[in-house]
Amino acid sequence: MKKIVRVLLILIAFCLIFAACGKTTAPSEAPDDRVSIDDKNNGGEESQDTEGDDEIVNPVGVFPIVKEGHDVTITAFAALTSRVDDFENNEFTKWLTEKTNVKLKFVSAPSTDSKTKLNLLLNSGDYPDVIWGHLSAPEMALYGSQGVLIPLDEYIEKYSYYVHKVFEEYPAAKDVITSTDGKIYALPDINDCYHCKFGSGRIWVYMPFVKKLNLSIPNTTEEFYQVLKAIKEGDPNENGKPDEIPYASEHINYMRGYFMNSFMTYTNENVWIDDNGKVRACYTEEEYKEGLRYLRRLYAEGLILKETFVISNDELITIGENPEAPLIFSATAWGPEGVVKKAGPSGRWFEYLTIPPLEGPSGIRYARYTGQYNAVSPRYFITDKCQYPEVAVRLGDFLYDTEATIRAYIGPEGVSWEWSEEGTKGIHGEQALYRELVAYGTQEMNVSWDQMNHSFRSSHFRLSNEAAGADEVMEYLNTRNPDIAQKMNDYPAYNEIMKYYEMKINYEPYAYDEKHILPPLIYEDKKYEEMADLKAVIEPYVDEMFARFITGDADIDADWNKYIEELKQMGLDRMLEIMQEAYEDKYK
């Protein structure tokens, strides 16, 4: 039966609504394949005491969250995004208020300035009731110990349902949001994005250039070097100018993540755990030095964009979208959207595909992989300013609802997405849950919250996106024929399908053992402050010297010992010592 299939699918994918804030949803009011608070009761009988003694908030399972006749406004801090420049007049905000009877008043800032603005608010003491994002696990612990963030344990127990399901399905979530004092100070965001686990260490190549020059896909660092030389000398854009850019990078972290894993285990945290359980800095290893030599060779021969360490992402996209002719052959980036406009008018976004990690001279060939903890982060915080924390927890809980999650992610039903029909398949090959009507990132302005909020997007949920056109997409990925690339514009789910299978085929086979990945750490107050001070000088210096070694502004051989000594003077050994202690305290 269609309804049974849908119930099973969502129960697996979306079992979590943080404290359910909305309106009672009877089974007849919505498709059976989405999670609603009634699912826990097998049809609507209350499994918890629905009488309650709260003056303002309705019991779990009863909506709206705020009882009729009461007026509750929650102030919230949130970052603006490329698709959201107005939260209060936002379509999703309006829908959420109607469901929950909770009014929201936002304090916001552009994403580039949001962290600075939040810090100013917290330091001034004039901060809002709730905060979405921006606080790391160590910061959560610090502000929790200071009383700025309130512990949520009792509120979760009394006012939530789905958060317990989160903990069951993602045990790491409870680890991440539990502070050193054993208390919970956040609700977690679960975004188990399969392709994202490889996102900071992958490379994209422009397939029309490959076809034009009849190039073979490189498997080694040396073969890649030869391919870049062919691009530089072969005029694949046929404009008679030597203007092709063999390689560029969206971010310094992506460059390190891809190339250094041909020489060593280089994790996303820039430190790794060796076979003896010791925390070590990747950027001081001898293998790192060899990786620098390789990249220096590419830069010295003009195979890396000269401005790659100073150029902004917008400037890089402007080059990638050059109207006269395509210029960029390869780039380390989150996706093709790092160098060209996503589904832009030039159509070039569809013409970039990945190549696997490169085998280095010693036979090392890893894909940078972030592991299970990539899926979990503390995202929703309630401060001591909040007069109605029970309302805030139930509001947070409701954002795990299936429909709320999809609407917050991409926009209104019938405009940005729709429920899938029985018999349609998702990316995972099973019954699909929903179908995107527009590609994520191209939805209208201010119809969604554009991933600002926490949600429960399990791996199963993400892959239940209807895979319309999957056969055609797979044909393209298998043949890598640029002649059919523009057909991909017909499939709104192309981004998810393409990135999933590109990672499945080209990157997953090379993922290093997860035991080498440093999980999220939480520090005691004094050590947190000490770590913040150490990182503030060490991390910028590592980035600076990475660029200087590659561009030739510093000599890899002559200046290496000085570089190591400078790191020690900055407190590298102490930083690693604190990490080691925190790692052993929490995970051993």
Short mmCIF file of all heavy atoms in Angstrom, two decimals, residues 53-113:
data_model
loop_
_atom_site.label_atom_id
_atom_site.label_comp_id
_atom_site.label_asym_id
_atom_site.label_seq_id
_atom_site.Cartn_x
_atom_site.Cartn_y
_atom_site.Cartn_z
N ASP A 53 0.35 21.24 32.71
CA ASP A 53 0.07 22.34 33.62
C ASP A 53 0.75 23.61 33.17
O ASP A 53 0.89 24.56 33.92
CB ASP A 53 0.50 21.97 35.04
CG ASP A 53 1.98 21.57 35.12
OD1 ASP A 53 2.66 21.64 34.07
OD2 ASP A 53 2.43 21.22 36.21
N ASP A 54 1.22 23.65 31.91
CA ASP A 54 1.88 24.84 31.40
C ASP A 54 0.83 25.88 31.01
O ASP A 54 -0.13 25.58 30.29
CB ASP A 54 2.74 24.49 30.19
CG ASP A 54 3.93 23.63 30.58
OD1 ASP A 54 4.78 24.13 31.32
OD2 ASP A 54 3.96 22.46 30.16
N GLU A 55 1.05 27.09 31.43
CA GLU A 55 0.08 28.14 31.15
C GLU A 55 0.11 28.57 29.68
O GLU A 55 -0.92 28.89 29.10
CB GLU A 55 0.37 29.34 32.05
CG GLU A 55 -0.58 30.52 31.81
CD GLU A 55 -0.21 31.71 32.66
OE1 GLU A 55 0.64 31.57 33.56
OE2 GLU A 55 -0.78 32.79 32.42
N ILE A 56 1.30 28.56 29.08
CA ILE A 56 1.48 29.11 27.74
C ILE A 56 1.50 28.05 26.66
O ILE A 56 0.87 28.19 25.61
CB ILE A 56 2.78 29.93 27.68
CG1 ILE A 56 2.73 31.09 28.67
CG2 ILE A 56 3.02 30.45 26.26
CD1 ILE A 56 1.68 32.13 28.36
N VAL A 57 2.24 26.97 26.89
CA VAL A 57 2.52 26.01 25.83
C VAL A 57 1.61 24.80 25.92
O VAL A 57 1.28 24.32 27.01
CB VAL A 57 4.00 25.57 25.89
CG1 VAL A 57 4.28 24.76 27.16
CG2 VAL A 57 4.40 24.77 24.66
N ASN A 58 1.17 24.32 24.77
CA ASN A 58 0.39 23.10 24.69
C ASN A 58 1.29 21.89 24.90
O ASN A 58 2.50 21.95 24.67
CB ASN A 58 -0.30 23.00 23.33
CG ASN A 58 -1.61 23.76 23.29
OD1 ASN A 58 -2.42 23.67 24.22
ND2 ASN A 58 -1.82 24.52 22.22
N PRO A 59 0.72 20.75 25.31
CA PRO A 59 1.52 19.55 25.51
C PRO A 59 2.11 19.04 24.20
O PRO A 59 1.63 19.39 23.11
CB PRO A 59 0.52 18.53 26.08
CG PRO A 59 -0.62 19.35 26.58
CD PRO A 59 -0.68 20.55 25.69
N VAL A 60 3.13 18.19 24.30
CA VAL A 60 3.71 17.56 23.13
C VAL A 60 2.62 16.79 22.39
O VAL A 60 1.85 16.05 23.00
CB VAL A 60 4.85 16.60 23.54
CG1 VAL A 60 5.35 15.81 22.33
CG2 VAL A 60 5.98 17.36 24.19
N GLY A 61 2.53 17.02 21.10
CA GLY A 61 1.50 16.36 20.31
C GLY A 61 0.31 17.23 20.03
O GLY A 61 -0.57 16.86 19.26
N VAL A 62 0.24 18.39 20.68
CA VAL A 62 -0.89 19.30 20.48
C VAL A 62 -0.37 20.60 19.89
O VAL A 62 0.61 21.17 20.36
CB VAL A 62 -1.62 19.58 21.82
CG1 VAL A 62 -2.76 20.58 21.62
CG2 VAL A 62 -2.15 18.27 22.41
N PHE A 63 -1.07 21.07 18.87
CA PHE A 63 -0.66 22.30 18.18
C PHE A 63 -1.83 23.25 18.11
O PHE A 63 -2.98 22.82 18.15
CB PHE A 63 -0.17 21.96 16.76
CG PHE A 63 1.11 21.19 16.76
CD1 PHE A 63 1.10 19.82 16.97
CD2 PHE A 63 2.32 21.82 16.56
CE1 PHE A 63 2.28 19.10 16.98
CE2 PHE A 63 3.50 21.11 16.57
CZ PHE A 63 3.48 19.75 16.79
N PRO A 64 -1.60 24.54 18.00
CA PRO A 64 -0.29 25.20 17.92
C PRO A 64 0.49 25.05 19.22
O PRO A 64 -0.06 24.64 20.25
CB PRO A 64 -0.65 26.66 17.66
CG PRO A 64 -2.00 26.82 18.27
CD PRO A 64 -2.70 25.53 18.03
N ILE A 65 1.74 25.40 19.16
CA ILE A 65 2.59 25.29 20.34
C ILE A 65 2.10 26.22 21.45
O ILE A 65 1.94 25.82 22.59
CB ILE A 65 4.05 25.62 19.99
CG1 ILE A 65 4.63 24.51 19.11
CG2 ILE A 65 4.89 25.80 21.24
CD1 ILE A 65 5.97 24.84 18.53
N VAL A 66 1.89 27.47 21.09
CA VAL A 66 1.41 28.46 22.06
C VAL A 66 -0.11 28.43 22.07
O VAL A 66 -0.76 28.48 21.03
CB VAL A 66 1.92 29.87 21.70
CG1 VAL A 66 1.29 30.92 22.61
CG2 VAL A 66 3.44 29.92 21.79
N LYS A 67 -0.67 28.32 23.25
CA LYS A 67 -2.11 28.23 23.39
C LYS A 67 -2.80 29.48 22.84
O LYS A 67 -2.25 30.58 22.89
CB LYS A 67 -2.48 28.04 24.86
CG LYS A 67 -2.04 26.70 25.44
CD LYS A 67 -2.41 26.59 26.91
CE LYS A 67 -2.00 25.23 27.48
NZ LYS A 67 -2.33 25.12 28.93
N GLU A 68 -3.99 29.25 22.31
CA GLU A 68 -4.76 30.36 21.79
C GLU A 68 -4.99 31.40 22.89
O GLU A 68 -5.21 31.05 24.06
CB GLU A 68 -6.12 29.86 21.26
CG GLU A 68 -6.00 28.83 20.15
CD GLU A 68 -5.42 29.40 18.87
OE1 GLU A 68 -5.36 30.65 18.75
OE2 GLU A 68 -5.03 28.61 17.99
N GLY A 69 -4.93 32.67 22.50
CA GLY A 69 -5.13 33.74 23.46
C GLY A 69 -3.86 34.29 24.06
O GLY A 69 -3.89 35.28 24.79
N HIS A 70 -2.72 33.60 23.77
CA HIS A 70 -1.43 34.08 24.27
C HIS A 70 -0.59 34.60 23.12
O HIS A 70 -0.68 34.10 21.99
CB HIS A 70 -0.69 32.95 24.99
CG HIS A 70 -1.35 32.53 26.27
ND1 HIS A 70 -1.15 33.17 27.46
CD2 HIS A 70 -2.23 31.52 26.52
CE1 HIS A 70 -1.86 32.58 28.41
NE2 HIS A 70 -2.54 31.58 27.87
N ASP A 71 0.21 35.60 23.41
CA ASP A 71 1.06 36.23 22.40
C ASP A 71 2.51 36.07 22.81
O ASP A 71 2.96 36.67 23.79
CB ASP A 71 0.69 37.71 22.29
CG ASP A 71 1.38 38.39 21.10
OD1 ASP A 71 2.15 37.70 20.39
OD2 ASP A 71 1.14 39.59 20.89
N VAL A 72 3.25 35.22 22.08
CA VAL A 72 4.65 34.96 22.41
C VAL A 72 5.53 35.31 21.21
O VAL A 72 5.28 34.84 20.09
CB VAL A 72 4.87 33.49 22.80
CG1 VAL A 72 6.36 33.21 22.97
CG2 VAL A 72 4.12 33.16 24.08
N THR A 73 6.54 36.12 21.45
CA THR A 73 7.51 36.46 20.41
C THR A 73 8.89 35.97 20.85
O THR A 73 9.32 36.25 21.98
CB THR A 73 7.56 37.98 20.16
OG1 THR A 73 6.28 38.42 19.69
CG2 THR A 73 8.63 38.31 19.11
N ILE A 74 9.54 35.26 19.97
CA ILE A 74 10.89 34.77 20.21
C ILE A 74 11.85 35.58 19.34
O ILE A 74 11.65 35.68 18.13
CB ILE A 74 11.03 33.27 19.86
CG1 ILE A 74 10.10 32.42 20.74
CG2 ILE A 74 12.48 32.81 19.98
CD1 ILE A 74 10.51 32.32 22.17
N THR A 75 12.86 36.17 19.95
CA THR A 75 13.88 36.86 19.16
C THR A 75 14.98 35.87 18.78
O THR A 75 15.33 34.99 19.58
CB THR A 75 14.49 38.03 19.94
OG1 THR A 75 15.06 37.54 21.15
CG2 THR A 75 13.43 39.07 20.26
N ALA A 76 15.49 36.01 17.57
CA ALA A 76 16.42 35.00 17.05
C ALA A 76 17.53 35.65 16.25
O ALA A 76 17.29 36.59 15.49
CB ALA A 76 15.68 33.98 16.19
N PHE A 77 18.73 35.10 16.40
CA PHE A 77 19.85 35.53 15.57
C PHE A 77 20.06 34.51 14.46
O PHE A 77 20.09 33.30 14.71
CB PHE A 77 21.14 35.64 16.38
CG PHE A 77 22.31 36.13 15.55
CD1 PHE A 77 22.50 37.48 15.36
CD2 PHE A 77 23.17 35.24 14.93
CE1 PHE A 77 23.55 37.95 14.58
CE2 PHE A 77 24.22 35.69 14.15
CZ PHE A 77 24.42 37.05 13.96
N ALA A 78 20.22 35.00 13.22
CA ALA A 78 20.43 34.11 12.07
C ALA A 78 21.20 34.86 11.00
O ALA A 78 21.08 36.08 10.86
CB ALA A 78 19.09 33.62 11.51
N ALA A 79 21.98 34.12 10.23
CA ALA A 79 22.75 34.71 9.14
C ALA A 79 21.93 34.74 7.86
O ALA A 79 21.22 33.79 7.54
CB ALA A 79 24.04 33.91 8.92
N LEU A 80 22.03 35.84 7.15
CA LEU A 80 21.43 35.93 5.82
C LEU A 80 22.20 35.03 4.86
O LEU A 80 23.37 34.71 5.08
CB LEU A 80 21.44 37.37 5.34
CG LEU A 80 20.70 38.37 6.23
CD1 LEU A 80 20.96 39.80 5.76
CD2 LEU A 80 19.21 38.08 6.26
N THR A 81 21.55 34.63 3.78
CA THR A 81 22.18 33.75 2.80
C THR A 81 21.99 34.32 1.40
O THR A 81 21.36 35.36 1.22
CB THR A 81 21.58 32.33 2.85
OG1 THR A 81 20.29 32.35 2.18
CG2 THR A 81 21.40 31.84 4.28
N SER A 82 22.49 33.60 0.41
CA SER A 82 22.34 34.05 -0.97
C SER A 82 20.89 34.01 -1.43
O SER A 82 20.53 34.67 -2.41
CB SER A 82 23.20 33.20 -1.91
OG SER A 82 22.78 31.84 -1.89
N ARG A 83 20.04 33.25 -0.72
CA ARG A 83 18.62 33.14 -1.10
C ARG A 83 17.70 33.75 -0.04
O ARG A 83 16.48 33.66 -0.16
CB ARG A 83 18.22 31.67 -1.32
CG ARG A 83 19.10 30.88 -2.27
CD ARG A 83 19.32 31.56 -3.60
NE ARG A 83 18.11 31.86 -4.32
CZ ARG A 83 18.05 32.71 -5.33
NH1 ARG A 83 19.14 33.37 -5.72
NH2 ARG A 83 16.91 32.92 -5.95
N VAL A 84 18.27 34.34 1.00
CA VAL A 84 17.46 34.95 2.06
C VAL A 84 18.08 36.28 2.46
O VAL A 84 19.19 36.33 2.97
CB VAL A 84 17.37 34.05 3.31
CG1 VAL A 84 16.53 34.74 4.38
CG2 VAL A 84 16.80 32.68 2.98
N ASP A 85 17.34 37.37 2.20
CA ASP A 85 17.77 38.67 2.71
C ASP A 85 16.71 39.30 3.60
O ASP A 85 16.82 40.46 3.99
CB ASP A 85 18.14 39.61 1.56
CG ASP A 85 17.00 39.88 0.59
OD1 ASP A 85 15.83 39.56 0.93
OD2 ASP A 85 17.26 40.39 -0.52
N ASP A 86 15.67 38.53 3.91
CA ASP A 86 14.60 39.02 4.78
C ASP A 86 13.94 37.82 5.45
O ASP A 86 13.19 37.08 4.83
CB ASP A 86 13.57 39.80 3.95
CG ASP A 86 12.48 40.43 4.80
OD1 ASP A 86 12.41 40.12 6.02
OD2 ASP A 86 11.68 41.22 4.27
N PHE A 87 14.21 37.62 6.74
CA PHE A 87 13.61 36.50 7.46
C PHE A 87 12.18 36.78 7.91
O PHE A 87 11.32 35.91 7.89
CB PHE A 87 14.46 36.12 8.68
CG PHE A 87 15.65 35.27 8.34
CD1 PHE A 87 16.94 35.78 8.44
CD2 PHE A 87 15.50 33.96 7.91
CE1 PHE A 87 18.04 34.99 8.14
CE2 PHE A 87 16.59 33.17 7.61
CZ PHE A 87 17.86 33.69 7.72
N GLU A 88 11.91 37.99 8.33
CA GLU A 88 10.62 38.27 8.93
C GLU A 88 9.48 38.27 7.91
O GLU A 88 8.35 37.92 8.25
CB GLU A 88 10.67 39.58 9.70
CG GLU A 88 11.57 39.47 10.93
CD GLU A 88 11.48 40.65 11.87
OE1 GLU A 88 10.53 41.44 11.74
OE2 GLU A 88 12.36 40.77 12.74
N ASN A 89 9.75 38.63 6.67
CA ASN A 89 8.73 38.59 5.63
C ASN A 89 8.92 37.38 4.72
O ASN A 89 8.40 37.34 3.61
CB ASN A 89 8.77 39.87 4.80
CG ASN A 89 8.41 41.09 5.62
OD1 ASN A 89 7.34 41.15 6.22
ND2 ASN A 89 9.31 42.06 5.69
N ASN A 90 9.63 36.41 5.23
CA ASN A 90 9.96 35.19 4.50
C ASN A 90 8.74 34.26 4.46
O ASN A 90 8.01 34.14 5.44
CB ASN A 90 11.14 34.53 5.21
CG ASN A 90 11.69 33.34 4.49
OD1 ASN A 90 11.08 32.28 4.50
ND2 ASN A 90 12.86 33.51 3.89
N GLU A 91 8.55 33.58 3.33
CA GLU A 91 7.39 32.68 3.18
C GLU A 91 7.44 31.54 4.20
O GLU A 91 6.40 31.14 4.74
CB GLU A 91 7.32 32.12 1.76
CG GLU A 91 6.92 33.13 0.70
CD GLU A 91 5.55 33.72 0.97
OE1 GLU A 91 4.61 32.96 1.30
OE2 GLU A 91 5.41 34.96 0.88
N PHE A 92 8.63 31.00 4.45
CA PHE A 92 8.70 29.92 5.42
C PHE A 92 8.42 30.43 6.83
O PHE A 92 7.75 29.75 7.63
CB PHE A 92 10.06 29.21 5.41
CG PHE A 92 10.15 28.13 6.44
CD1 PHE A 92 9.42 26.95 6.29
CD2 PHE A 92 10.94 28.29 7.57
CE1 PHE A 92 9.47 25.95 7.26
CE2 PHE A 92 11.00 27.29 8.54
CZ PHE A 92 10.26 26.12 8.38
N THR A 93 8.90 31.61 7.17
CA THR A 93 8.62 32.19 8.48
C THR A 93 7.13 32.34 8.69
O THR A 93 6.59 32.02 9.76
CB THR A 93 9.31 33.55 8.64
OG1 THR A 93 10.71 33.42 8.37
CG2 THR A 93 9.13 34.10 10.04
N LYS A 94 6.43 32.81 7.67
CA LYS A 94 4.97 32.98 7.76
C LYS A 94 4.28 31.64 7.98
O LYS A 94 3.36 31.52 8.79
CB LYS A 94 4.44 33.66 6.49
CG LYS A 94 4.93 35.09 6.29
CD LYS A 94 4.44 35.64 4.96
CE LYS A 94 4.97 37.06 4.71
NZ LYS A 94 4.54 37.57 3.38
N TRP A 95 4.72 30.63 7.23
CA TRP A 95 4.14 29.29 7.37
C TRP A 95 4.39 28.75 8.77
O TRP A 95 3.50 28.16 9.40
CB TRP A 95 4.74 28.37 6.32
CG TRP A 95 4.22 26.96 6.33
CD1 TRP A 95 3.10 26.50 5.70
CD2 TRP A 95 4.79 25.83 7.00
NE1 TRP A 95 2.94 25.15 5.94
CE2 TRP A 95 3.96 24.72 6.72
CE3 TRP A 95 5.92 25.65 7.80
CZ2 TRP A 95 4.24 23.45 7.23
CZ3 TRP A 95 6.20 24.39 8.32
CH2 TRP A 95 5.36 23.31 8.02
N LEU A 96 5.61 28.94 9.28
CA LEU A 96 5.98 28.43 10.59
C LEU A 96 5.16 29.11 11.69
O LEU A 96 4.68 28.46 12.62
CB LEU A 96 7.48 28.67 10.82
CG LEU A 96 8.09 28.11 12.10
CD1 LEU A 96 7.98 26.60 12.14
CD2 LEU A 96 9.55 28.54 12.24
N THR A 97 4.97 30.41 11.58
CA THR A 97 4.18 31.15 12.56
C THR A 97 2.74 30.68 12.57
O THR A 97 2.13 30.50 13.63
CB THR A 97 4.25 32.66 12.28
OG1 THR A 97 5.60 33.10 12.39
CG2 THR A 97 3.39 33.44 13.25
N GLU A 98 2.19 30.46 11.39
CA GLU A 98 0.81 29.98 11.29
C GLU A 98 0.65 28.61 11.94
O GLU A 98 -0.33 28.34 12.62
CB GLU A 98 0.40 29.91 9.81
CG GLU A 98 -1.02 29.44 9.60
CD GLU A 98 -1.41 29.35 8.14
OE1 GLU A 98 -0.65 29.90 7.30
OE2 GLU A 98 -2.43 28.73 7.83
N LYS A 99 1.63 27.74 11.77
CA LYS A 99 1.57 26.40 12.33
C LYS A 99 1.71 26.39 13.85
O LYS A 99 1.13 25.55 14.53
CB LYS A 99 2.67 25.53 11.73
CG LYS A 99 2.43 25.13 10.28
CD LYS A 99 1.42 24.01 10.21
CE LYS A 99 1.24 23.50 8.79
NZ LYS A 99 0.22 22.43 8.73
N THR A 100 2.54 27.29 14.37
CA THR A 100 2.95 27.19 15.78
C THR A 100 2.37 28.25 16.69
O THR A 100 2.41 28.10 17.91
CB THR A 100 4.48 27.28 15.87
OG1 THR A 100 4.90 28.58 15.43
CG2 THR A 100 5.15 26.20 15.03
N ASN A 101 1.88 29.33 16.12
CA ASN A 101 1.43 30.49 16.89
C ASN A 101 2.59 31.12 17.67
O ASN A 101 2.41 31.71 18.72
CB ASN A 101 0.30 30.11 17.85
CG ASN A 101 -0.47 31.33 18.35
OD1 ASN A 101 -0.51 32.37 17.69
ND2 ASN A 101 -1.07 31.21 19.53
N VAL A 102 3.80 30.97 17.12
CA VAL A 102 4.99 31.59 17.71
C VAL A 102 5.48 32.66 16.74
O VAL A 102 5.78 32.38 15.58
CB VAL A 102 6.12 30.57 17.94
CG1 VAL A 102 7.35 31.27 18.53
CG2 VAL A 102 5.65 29.45 18.87
N LYS A 103 5.56 33.89 17.22
CA LYS A 103 6.06 34.97 16.40
C LYS A 103 7.59 35.03 16.52
O LYS A 103 8.14 34.80 17.59
CB LYS A 103 5.45 36.30 16.81
CG LYS A 103 3.94 36.36 16.63
CD LYS A 103 3.37 37.68 17.13
CE LYS A 103 1.85 37.70 16.98
NZ LYS A 103 1.26 38.95 17.53
N LEU A 104 8.25 35.35 15.42
CA LEU A 104 9.70 35.42 15.40
C LEU A 104 10.15 36.81 15.00
O LEU A 104 9.65 37.38 14.02
CB LEU A 104 10.28 34.40 14.42
CG LEU A 104 10.17 32.92 14.85
CD1 LEU A 104 10.49 32.00 13.68
CD2 LEU A 104 11.07 32.63 16.02
N LYS A 105 11.07 37.35 15.76
CA LYS A 105 11.68 38.64 15.43
C LYS A 105 13.18 38.40 15.28
O LYS A 105 13.83 37.94 16.23
CB LYS A 105 11.41 39.68 16.51
CG LYS A 105 11.95 41.07 16.18
CD LYS A 105 11.55 42.07 17.25
CE LYS A 105 12.10 43.46 16.96
NZ LYS A 105 11.62 43.98 15.66
N PHE A 106 13.73 38.70 14.12
CA PHE A 106 15.11 38.33 13.80
C PHE A 106 16.10 39.47 13.96
O PHE A 106 15.81 40.63 13.64
CB PHE A 106 15.20 37.81 12.36
CG PHE A 106 14.63 36.43 12.18
CD1 PHE A 106 13.29 36.25 11.87
CD2 PHE A 106 15.43 35.31 12.33
CE1 PHE A 106 12.77 34.98 11.70
CE2 PHE A 106 14.92 34.04 12.18
CZ PHE A 106 13.58 33.87 11.86
N VAL A 107 17.26 39.09 14.46
CA VAL A 107 18.46 39.92 14.37
C VAL A 107 19.37 39.19 13.40
O VAL A 107 19.72 38.03 13.62
CB VAL A 107 19.16 40.06 15.74
CG1 VAL A 107 20.42 40.91 15.60
CG2 VAL A 107 18.21 40.65 16.77
N SER A 108 19.74 39.81 12.30
CA SER A 108 20.49 39.10 11.27
C SER A 108 21.64 39.95 10.75
O SER A 108 21.74 41.14 11.03
CB SER A 108 19.57 38.69 10.12
OG SER A 108 18.94 39.82 9.54
N ALA A 109 22.48 39.29 9.97
CA ALA A 109 23.62 39.96 9.36
C ALA A 109 24.05 39.14 8.15
O ALA A 109 23.79 37.93 8.09
CB ALA A 109 24.77 40.09 10.35
N PRO A 110 24.70 39.76 7.17
CA PRO A 110 25.24 38.98 6.05
C PRO A 110 26.17 37.89 6.57
O PRO A 110 26.84 38.06 7.60
CB PRO A 110 26.01 40.04 5.24
CG PRO A 110 25.37 41.33 5.60
CD PRO A 110 24.96 41.20 7.03
N SER A 111 26.21 36.77 5.88
CA SER A 111 26.98 35.63 6.36
C SER A 111 28.45 35.98 6.59
O SER A 111 29.09 35.45 7.51
CB SER A 111 26.87 34.46 5.38
OG SER A 111 27.33 34.85 4.09
N THR A 112 28.99 36.89 5.78
CA THR A 112 30.41 37.26 5.93
C THR A 112 30.68 38.01 7.23
O THR A 112 31.81 38.03 7.72
CB THR A 112 30.86 38.12 4.74
OG1 THR A 112 29.96 39.22 4.58
CG2 THR A 112 30.88 37.30 3.45
N ASP A 113 29.64 38.66 7.78
CA ASP A 113 29.82 39.46 9.00
C ASP A 113 29.07 38.88 10.19
O ASP A 113 29.12 39.46 11.29
CB ASP A 113 29.32 40.90 8.76
CG ASP A 113 30.04 41.58 7.62
OD1 ASP A 113 31.26 41.38 7.50
OD2 ASP A 113 29.39 42.31 6.85
#
